[in-house]
């Protein structure tokens, strides 16, 4: 696995998936293969009929026989076209079912991934696998599979027909094999690695573009627009270079394909001319064999060219299957209590640069703790450790004596939930957006209670269809502040015993935030609440306040105690008060 990306599935795992998919759709595949086979046989009959027609003409056959042969020839072409159309339709429908299964599997796998893995890889990598990689597989299933199937059948049946028609003239095929074998082997050895690098570079481009679009306002605010443009340009050029490497391989390989078409025809004509003078073959046989060799050119080209698409699709499939949620190997025992303990906690995102250093903290059950401090001090990182999203580099974070990062997801999410300022509104009804944490059996009264607790009931009551109003892109727009209220309502429904709030009310104005926090205080009474606070009125209402500076806790105590100590917390309060006075 390359740093910053999700892994590729192994070739063995990919083959296992393919075998399982083929078994699942065995009947549909057999029907499509049968249709392709019959269509190919009908197409192969054409040169034979045409060769017989030449022999009848040169032999002075009657007009009636020639007319019948001509009609049979046309009928064979019609049958081939009709069966090919039905076969392609069948394989297209099968492809839709396979791709639907792949998409659903990708979503299921992604939802099982640890958040730390997704954040390390970047949303662009996951996005590219869910979009462009799935599209490449779709393209291969719809086009490459039927084309390769038809081409392989055509080549096989035509070769057999040539050997049956004239074993002597069929020796001309050896010229094609000699010309194309070694260059194709050279190409197929090098192409997979080049294709994997190309897809990886496109994933980086998707990630860079996504991050730039998501952080456009921040980029503009810090004057980094030019830097992001250069980063995007560098990613684009890297992706283009990957494409060029693949095209360079192809330009070295293609001339041998062209030679494999023309040289066998020349060899067959020379061999056929000699055999005709020796009385070994008839003119009709020579015409049939030349037509067969010409008929091989197109399927040979398609077979080899579509192998590139299959190679691309194979790598894309490995990327899609690589989004595999790991088997849950976390074995920490279920918590025996609800007290939270942090002992000598250290954490680093990169080696040699600690974000947290020597954190010692105990949060008894039911306590309201506010964590404050300057930007970049490590508050959000501490919240991630408390929620079990990341594990400490050194030290321990426990709930009821059990290591938080060692708890299985289904156990962990029943113990503690993290709510940040980054919220998402799902495409669906308001009811569906609220019932995400549960089994969908909530009563309307319970949903409205949760909305009231989060302060979103007034906005929701104004919706045209109430709880059944469709939200999201292309439907009813949801303001950012309301999206936070919906997220808080989900938390109320999820009913955790410990809640970590990482600036979860930052998009609300000060007055609304205070009203919401008072409402939540009633709803969450008796629960443990750890709030990463950027508004100090939150800290004033908490049981205790922890001040985080430069990766460690510099002060810990109640609001009154810390004000009396006249230390870092008191300075933060004075600074915040001065800013509020200046703003008014």
């Amino acid at each position: 696995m390359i740093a910053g990306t999700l892994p590729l599935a192994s070739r063995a795992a990919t083959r296992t998936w393919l075998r399982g998919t083929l078994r699942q759709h065995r009947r549909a595949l057999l029907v499509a293969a049968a249709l392709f086979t019959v269509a190919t046989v009908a197409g192969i009959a054409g040169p034979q009929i045409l060769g017989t027609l030449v022999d009848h003409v040169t032999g002075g056959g009657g007009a009636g026989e020639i007319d019948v042969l001509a009609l049979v020839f046309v009928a064979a072409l019609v049958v081939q076209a009709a069966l090919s159309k039905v076969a392609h339709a069948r394989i297209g429908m099968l492809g839709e079912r396979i791709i639907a299964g792949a998409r659903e599997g990708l979503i299921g796998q992604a939802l099982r991934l640890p958040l730390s893995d997704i954040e390390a890889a970047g949303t662009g990598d996951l996005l590219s696998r869910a979009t462009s990689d799935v599209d490449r597989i779709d393209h291969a299933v719809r086009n490459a599979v039927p084309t390769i199937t038809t081409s392989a059948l055509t080549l096989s049946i035509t070769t057999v027909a040539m050997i049956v028609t004239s074993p002597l003239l069929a020796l001309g095929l050896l010229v094609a094999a000699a010309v194309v074998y070694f260059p194709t082997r050279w190409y197929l050895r090098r192409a997979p690695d080049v294709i994997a690098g190309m897809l990886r570079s496109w994933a980086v481009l998707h990630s860079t573009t996504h991050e730039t679009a998501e952080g456009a306002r921040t980029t503009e605010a810090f004057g980094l627009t030019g830097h992001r443009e250069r980063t995007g340009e560098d990613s684009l050029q890297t992706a283009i270079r990957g494409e060029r490497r693949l095209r360079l391989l192809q330009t070295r390989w293609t001339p041998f394909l062209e030679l494999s078409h023309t040289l066998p025809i020349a060899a067959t004509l020379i061999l056929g001319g000699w055999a005709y003078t020796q009385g070994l073959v008839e003119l009709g046989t020579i015409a049939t064999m030349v037509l067969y060799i010409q008929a091989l050119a197109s399927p040979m080209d398609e077979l080899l060219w579509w192998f590139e698409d299959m190679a691309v699709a194979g790598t894309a499939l490995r990327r899609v299957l690589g989004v595999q949620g790991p088997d849950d190997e976390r074995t920490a025992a279920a918590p025996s209590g609800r007290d939270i303990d942090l002992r000598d906690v250290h954490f680093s995102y990169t080696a040699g640069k600690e974000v947290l250093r020597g954190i010692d903290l105990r949060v008894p059950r039911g306590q309201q703790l506010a964590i404050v401090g300057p930007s970049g001090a490590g508050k959000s990182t501490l919240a991630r450790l408390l929620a079990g999203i990341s594990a400490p580099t050194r030290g321990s974070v426990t709930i009821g004596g059990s290591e938080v990062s060692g708890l299985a997801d289904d156990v962990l999410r029943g113990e503690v939930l993290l709510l940040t300022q980054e919220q998402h509104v799902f495409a669906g009804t308001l009811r569906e957006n609220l019932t995400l944490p549960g089994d969908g059996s909530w009563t309307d009264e319970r949903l409205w209670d949760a909305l009231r607790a989060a302060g979103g009931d007034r906005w929701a009551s104004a919706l045209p269809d109430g709880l059944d109003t469709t939200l999201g892109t292309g439907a009813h727009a949801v303001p950012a502040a309301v999206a936070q209220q919906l997220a808080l309502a989900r938390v109320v429904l999820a009913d955790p015993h410990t809640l970590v709030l990482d600036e979860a009310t930052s998009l609300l104005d000060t007055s609304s935030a205070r009203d919401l926090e008072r409402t939540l205080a009633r709803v969450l009474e008796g629960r443990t609440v750890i709030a990463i606070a950027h508004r100090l009125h939150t800290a004033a209402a908490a049981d205790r306040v922890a001040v985080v500076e430069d990766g460690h806790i510099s002060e810990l105590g109640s609001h009154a105690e810390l004000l009396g100590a006249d230390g870092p917390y008191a300075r933060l309060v004075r600074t915040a008060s001065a800013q509020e006075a200046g703003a008014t």
Side-chain angles (χ1 to χ4, degrees), residues 6-9 109 113 129 317-325:
L6 296 169
L8 289 177
Q109 291 165 1
L113 283 174
R129 296 180 188 227
L317 179 60
R318 291 181 63 197
R319 284 171 53 80
V320 169
L321 297 179
V323 184
Q324 180 65 56

Side-chain angles (χ1 to χ4, degrees), residues 47-93:
Q48 285 285 357
I49 297 169
L50 194 58
T52 304
L53 184 61
V54 170
D55 286 340
H56 270 71
V57 171
T58 57
E65 293 178 347
I66 294 173
D67 290 341
V68 170
L69 288 172
L71 288 173
V72 172
F73 178 73
V74 172
L77 294 180
V78 171
V79 170
Q80 180 194 23
L83 290 177
S84 293
K85 182 178 180 179
V86 174
H88 277 85
R90 288 271 186 171
I91 204 71
M93 290 186 289

Side-chain angles (χ1 to χ4, degrees), residues 5-172:
T5 63
L6 296 169
L8 289 177
S10 67
R11 288 184 170 84
T14 304
R15 287 192 294 269
T16 300
W17 183 88
L18 285 172
R19 284 194 295 268
T21 301
L22 292 177
R23 283 195 298 269
Q24 182 181 357
H25 302 285
R26 182 184 306 165
R27 182 176 179 182
L29 282 169
L30 290 176
V31 170
L35 289 169
F36 277 122
T37 302
V38 177
T40 303
V41 170
I44 294 302
Q48 285 285 357
I49 297 169
L50 194 58
T52 304
L53 184 61
V54 170
D55 286 340
H56 270 71
V57 171
T58 57
E65 293 178 347
I66 294 173
D67 290 341
V68 170
L69 288 172
L71 288 173
V72 172
F73 178 73
V74 172
L77 294 180
V78 171
V79 170
Q80 180 194 23
L83 290 177
S84 293
K85 182 178 180 179
V86 174
H88 277 85
R90 288 271 186 171
I91 204 71
M93 290 186 289
L94 175 60
E96 286 294 332
R97 291 195 292 271
I98 292 175
I99 294 303
R103 289 182 191 275
E104 292 169 0
L106 175 67
I107 297 300
Q109 291 165 1
L111 291 175
R112 290 194 296 272
L113 283 174
L115 289 178
S116 55
D117 286 0
I118 294 178
E119 290 182 353
T123 54
D125 186 50
L126 186 60
L127 185 65
S128 68
R129 296 180 188 227
T131 54
S132 59
D133 287 336
V134 172
D135 287 342
R136 287 185 174 99
I137 300 170
D138 186 21
H139 176 72
V141 172
R142 288 171 177 271
N143 301 286
V145 170
T147 301
I148 288 176
T149 301
T150 304
S151 299
L153 287 170
T154 301
L155 287 171
S156 301
I157 297 174
T158 302
T159 301
V160 172
M162 289 180 69
I163 294 173
V164 171
T165 301
S166 175
L168 176 62
L169 298 186
L171 294 174

Side-chain angles (χ1 to χ4, degrees), residues 252-338:
R252 293 177 178 176
W253 172 54
T254 303
F256 294 96
L257 293 185
E258 298 301 321
L259 287 174
S260 71
H261 303 160
T262 56
L263 292 181
I265 294 177
T268 301
L269 288 173
I270 293 171
L271 186 59
W274 173 81
Y276 179 74
T277 61
Q278 300 298 313
L280 299 176
V281 296
E282 301 293 333
L283 286 177
T285 302
I286 296 174
T288 298
M289 295 297 284
V290 170
L291 288 173
Y292 274 144
I293 290 178
Q294 287 180 324
L296 287 176
S298 177
M300 176 69 77
D301 267 357
E302 290 179 336
L303 184 66
L304 293 174
W305 277 109
W306 279 104
F307 263 129
E308 177 202 326
D309 289 75
M310 289 299 292
V312 171
T315 303
L317 179 60
R318 291 181 63 197
R319 284 171 53 80
V320 169
L321 297 179
V323 184
Q324 180 65 56
D327 294 334
D328 203 337
E329 298 177 351
R330 289 173 290 185
T331 56
S336 58
R338 292 181 175 176

